[in-house]
Amino acid sequence: MKEQLKHTGTKTLIGRGCLIVLGILFLLFLYRYNQIDKVTLYETGGRNFVKAKVTKIITDNEKQSGVYIGDQTVQVKVMSGKWKGKVLEATSSSSYLFGTHCTVGKRVIALVSESEGEFAASVYSADRELAVYLMLAVFVLALIVIGGKQGLYSVIGLAFTVICILYLFLPMIYRGHSPVVSAVLVVALTTVATMYLVGGISKKTLAAIVGTISGVLISAIFAGIFGKMTEITGYNVSDIEDLVYVQDQTNIQIGGLLFAGILIASLGAVMDVAMSISSTIEEISVQNPELHVRELFLSGMRVGKDMMGTMSNTLILAFAGGSINTLVFIYAYNYEYLQVINMYSVGVELIQGIASSMGVILTVPIASLMAAWGYGKKQVAQRK
């Protein structure tokens, strides 16, 4: 018994060592792959974003009614960068997207330009860096405290996903590779890594991986079909003029960005369904080893049917929430039915929501079949 445990422990250590080596090699590859000379799309020479602190309000823009209109003129002390310690006069707009209402002592992000010893500065926004990292810390802490070891693995899996998107998916697109192919590669990598961290090497993990990748590919297929039917392509999206300019200056294939986005957007929900069903079938099998493949499959389908409604609803609501501004415009301006149903923005959102939901729905039978086949087949063999 001791020798068996020792052998198992040795295999575990070897496996972890191999994973660490693979992880280091993957990071080295990403480092080399990200050595890209990017095309300059607009001139930024002599201009820097820096942290700054407001030291004085020179002219305010607050009206008697309490509303802020126009610009403030403030004095700021640069807190970072090559001009650290320098005191500059800056303007700050109270617009909705840029600037902020300044008060003495407030930390801001300033845009500083220098030319022949002359400086010009403006307040870009409030300094939100600390608040952003605080939100992330609370999120990670909640995962670890509540989820324990599995929560920690979830954090690692999430970090791996973010790294793949930022340092593999985006560089692949920039280098001119197909956005859809790039998305498929990232989906496969993140699925395998996340499922392994959550479930280890097991039949449950294999079933969840197959179910997830199949479901995401199904989403892409339906998105392509719906796009053909509605004559909507990746060029029928907002900010297309800016994207076309970027395409003209680089190798980016913007036509596939819409469908690549659907692949990545559907990954989380499909992954959740696949692992939940696989884990359920594994647990049922442990509690009742006498169940046949068909019985396990039907159990997975019953669980999956309940998940279909909630997860599909989640996806539709997520896309609706992302287009809430469009919905408000449609309602406020009282657009006609024929105008609404044929709008590109509405069509894009429907394609995204429905294609992703189709991926979730069809993941249920695939994950159920894979998990039931894995556990059920072994049980049948034992009874023989």
Side-chain angles (χ1 to χ4, degrees):
M1 184 68 179
K2 289 182 179 180
E3 291 181 0
Q4 186 179 1
L5 290 173
K6 184 178 179 181
H7 179 66
T8 303
T10 302
K11 287 178 66 177
T12 302
L13 287 175
I14 293 174
R16 289 179 178 175
C18 291
L19 285 174
I20 292 172
V21 171
L22 286 173
I24 293 173
L25 291 175
F26 182 65
L27 291 176
L28 289 174
F29 164 75
L30 290 182
Y31 174 77
R32 291 294 301 273
Y33 194 70
N34 280 267
Q35 303 306 306
I36 304 173
D37 293 327
K38 293 184 179 180
V39 177
T40 302
L41 297 177
Y42 62 95
E43 186 58 45
T44 59
R47 193 190 77 166
N48 291 94
F49 287 94
V50 298
K51 293 184 178 183
K53 184 178 181 180
V54 179
T55 57
K56 183 179 179 181
I57 306 297
I58 298 174
T59 58
D60 209 342
N61 62 346
E62 183 178 6
K63 303 302 179 183
Q64 289 185 351
S65 61
V67 177
Y68 303 115
I69 300 176
D71 297 334
Q72 286 177 293
T73 304
V74 299
Q75 189 179 78
V76 298
K77 182 179 181 181
V78 179
M79 308 295 289
S80 67
K82 60 182 179 180
W83 299 308
K84 183 178 180 180
K86 192 169 188 64
V87 177
L88 300 171
E89 186 175 298
T91 59
S92 178
S93 172
S94 292
S95 68
Y96 295 111
L97 296 179
F98 302 103
T100 184
H101 182 70
C102 295
T103 56
V104 174
K106 186 172 185 174
R107 293 185 177 274
V108 297
I109 301 299
L111 178 58
V112 180
S113 300
E114 185 266 337
S115 178
E116 298 180 356
E118 296 293 326
F119 290 87
S122 61
V123 175
Y124 175 74
S125 70
D127 187 353
R128 303 184 179 96
E129 184 181 27
L130 181 60
V132 169
Y133 285 122
L134 180 61
M135 287 190 295
L136 290 174
V138 170
F139 170 68
V140 170
L141 186 62
L143 267 177
I144 295 174
V145 170
I146 298 175
K149 185 178 179 181
Q150 291 299 100
L152 176 60
Y153 287 154
S154 297
V155 172
I156 297 172
L158 180 60
F160 182 80
T161 300
V162 172
I163 289 172
C164 283
I165 291 174
L166 295 180
Y167 300 106
L168 181 60
F169 177 65
L170 294 179
M172 285 185 71
I173 290 176
Y174 193 86
R175 288 174 178 269
H177 296 291
S178 165
V180 175
V181 173
S182 303
V184 169
L185 176 60
V186 169
V187 164
L189 282 174
T190 55
T191 298
V192 171
T194 303
M195 293 304 186
Y196 169 76
L197 288 168
V198 173
I201 300 176
S202 64
K203 293 177 181 179
K204 171 184 71 176
T205 301
L206 179 60
I209 289 172
V210 173
T212 299
I213 295 177
S214 300
V216 172
L217 291 177
I218 287 169
S219 293
I221 291 170
F222 273 100
I225 293 172
F226 294 152
K228 289 287 185 182
M229 291 170 57
T230 57
E231 298 184 16
I232 292 177
T233 70
Y235 289 89
N236 304 125
V237 296
S238 58
D239 301 324
I240 186 59
E241 290 83 4
D242 294 334
L243 287 172
V244 169
Y245 173 72
V246 171
Q247 179 178 251
D248 291 339
Q249 304 299 316
T250 65
N251 296 318
I252 297 175
Q253 302 176 29
I254 64 172
L257 292 179
L258 171 63
F259 303 104
I262 292 173
L263 279 170
I264 293 177
S266 63
L267 176 59
V270 172
M271 189 182 294
D272 185 20
V273 170
M275 179 53 85
S276 297
I277 290 175
S278 300
S279 296
T280 300
I281 290 178
E282 180 198 40
E283 183 63 24
I284 293 172
S285 173
V286 170
Q287 297 299 324
N288 190 351
E290 299 302 317
L291 290 176
H292 293 264
V293 175
R294 182 174 181 276
E295 293 167 325
L296 288 174
F297 173 74
L298 292 176
S299 296
M301 287 298 296
R302 281 192 288 271
V303 173
K305 286 176 183 177
D306 291 335
M307 299 185 70
M308 284 181 194
T310 56
M311 294 306 292
S312 297
N313 205 31
T314 298
L315 285 169
I316 295 296
L317 289 175
F319 286 115
S323 59
I324 193 68
N325 294 342
T326 302
L327 295 176
V328 169
F329 273 117
I330 290 172
Y331 184 81
Y333 282 93
N334 197 27
Y335 287 1
E336 294 184 16
Y337 166 76
L338 288 177
Q339 180 182 6
V340 173
I341 201 66
N342 290 288
M343 289 174 63
Y344 277 124
S345 56
V346 171
V348 168
E349 294 299 332
L350 285 174
I351 289 174
Q352 290 176 327
I354 294 174
S356 299
S357 297
M358 288 299 296
V360 168
I361 292 168
L362 294 178
T363 296
V364 171
I366 295 173
S368 298
L369 181 61
M370 288 298 301
W373 179 83
Y375 289 101
K377 183 180 180 181
K378 179 180 178 183
Q379 294 153 8
V380 171
Q382 286 177 344
R383 285 194 290 271
K384 288 182 179 179

